[in-house]
Amino acid sequence: MIGIFDSGVGGLSVFREIRKLLPQERYIYFSDNAHCPYGEKSREYIIDRARQITDFMLKEGADIIVVACNTATAAAISTIRSEYSTPNDHVRRLTSGRHESVSFIGMEPAVKPAAALTRTGVVGVLATAGTLKADKYRDTKGRHAEDVQVVEHIGQGFVELVESGQTTGQKAESIVMESLEPLLDAGADTIVLGCTHYPFLSETISKVASCLVPDRPTTIIDPAPAVAKHLHKVMQEQNIIKREGFALTLHASGDDSVLKQMAEALLYEGLPPESL
Ligand code: DGL
């Protein structure tokens, strides 16, 4: 079983891509919406949430865990990797001896492909405050974006829009415009979506970009397909692809109505709704 978690519904944008490559697996998705957003929370707080969610998912039967959240990846993945990825009694207890170790697959803002794609030489990154200030992001930028200019902006209010299911319309457009305009003004023609909630705003982001810079096409990059590919490869290597038939179990620490609605909408794209 594949475990996927995020501070909210954002990780469903990653699940959508994973399901394309691994359609016959069982999934458990956890939305930590009672503690959302993670963007402004401390590292310690997010590590604690990641531990609790990991324990829950292992007990439920997860064989591998996707941290489908850039903020949680930046804050917590190295800690939880070292705590759960080496053989230890805690993991064996939670998994009734099933695992010696558990792998975590994380998110990373797609600065590398963006640097290769930009024609203006300016890449824009939209992410949360937590992701943008993390060492992990700075390292990525330092390694992959030496030859381009990278401009960043917090997607202010984006997570709240997606969590409330308002991904299109006038309100969404004006909130998106506030954070996107400075990046486009700086010359960015390639926008990296550095938060898993933001792909649900892609349509609005494209619309606002083509309104603000009608003569310059804007490319939007979502790292989810690359993460899905990586997960698939790791699961092949570990021989844990089970093909037991698709199933998705949804859990939320808060109200689960938007999660259910959005997951159902994704499943209608290609799978029978009774799997929910
Ligand atoms: N979906 C998240 C991310 O990828 C976190 C959003 C938040 O809770 O602030 O960063």
Side-chain angles (χ1 to χ4, degrees):
M1 184 194 281
I2 301 172
I4 302 176
F5 79 86
D6 178 41
S7 63
V9 292
L12 289 176
S13 68
V14 188
F15 161 71
R16 175 171 62 187
E17 299 302 324
I18 295 173
R19 182 182 61 121
K20 290 180 189 162
L21 300 185
L22 292 156
Q24 291 303 320
E25 299 311 294
R26 290 161 60 225
Y27 294 87
I28 176 168
Y29 185 94
F30 191 96
S31 155
D32 196 15
N33 59 342
H35 306 95
C36 183
Y38 280 176
E40 307 281 341
K41 304 274 193 319
S42 73
R43 203 170 155 259
E44 293 66 33
Y45 183 92
I46 297 171
I47 290 173
D48 184 55
R49 293 305 308 150
R51 281 190 189 118
Q52 294 196 36
I53 297 165
T54 297
D55 284 357
F56 171 72
M57 290 197 156
L58 293 180
K59 270 195 234 149
E60 293 292 306
D63 299 301
I64 192 161
I65 293 181
V66 181
V67 183
C69 172
N70 292 260
T71 314
T73 301
I77 205 164
S78 58
T79 305
I80 52 174
R81 271 193 180 133
S82 69
E83 290 175 354
Y84 293 85
S85 300
T86 49
N88 70 46
D89 289 344
H90 180 63
V91 174
R92 277 192 212 112
R93 237 187 346 265
L94 289 168
T95 62
S96 318
R98 235 177 35 250
H99 287 290
E100 285 297 310
S101 66
V102 175
S103 296
F104 293 89
I105 306 296
M107 304 298 302
E108 193 163 49
V111 173
K112 189 178 175 185
L117 276 173
T118 175
R119 278 170 301 173
T120 56
V122 185
V123 166
V125 178
L126 289 168
T128 67
T131 298
L132 293 176
K133 68 170 189 245
D135 292 344
K136 202 165 192 321
Y137 170 67
R138 283 167 207 252
D139 288 354
T140 308
K141 199 167 77 166
R143 273 185 287 123
H144 300 303
E146 272 175 342
D147 303 328
V148 297
Q149 187 194 343
V150 179
V151 286
E152 290 132 2
H153 210 283
I154 295 169
Q156 208 74 57
F158 288 22
V159 169
E160 290 77 4
L161 276 178
V162 176
E163 285 298 316
S164 62
Q166 293 172 276
T167 54
T168 53
Q170 229 171 20
K171 183 175 173 200
E173 284 166 26
S174 78
I175 288 179
V176 162
M177 186 168 308
E178 288 279 308
S179 298
L180 186 62
E181 195 165 21
L183 303 182
L184 299 177
D185 282 352
D189 65 341
T190 308
I191 303 292
V192 174
L193 303 182
C195 167
T196 55
H197 279 76
Y198 301 175
F200 290 114
L201 290 164
S202 285
E203 194 187 315
T204 300
I205 294 172
S206 291
K207 188 174 173 193
V208 171
S210 57
C211 198
L212 290 171
V213 282
D215 303 327
R216 194 178 71 210
T218 305
T219 307
I220 296 170
I221 304 188
D222 172 10
V227 171
K229 247 179 155 168
H230 178 57
L231 171 72
H232 186 247
K233 182 167 158 274
V234 173
M235 289 183 71
Q236 265 174 337
E237 284 163 4
Q238 297 186 358
N239 205 15
I240 53 172
I241 300 180
K242 301 204 167 140
R243 296 185 187 89
E244 291 172 330
F246 176 80
L248 170 64
T249 318
L250 300 170
H251 295 271
S253 54
D255 180 78
D256 65 359
S257 48
V258 173
L259 174 66
K260 280 192 169 153
Q261 259 169 38
M262 288 181 70
E264 215 166 305
L266 290 184
L267 293 178
Y268 274 125
E269 280 174 19
L271 286 166
E274 55 271 18
S275 345
L276 261 176

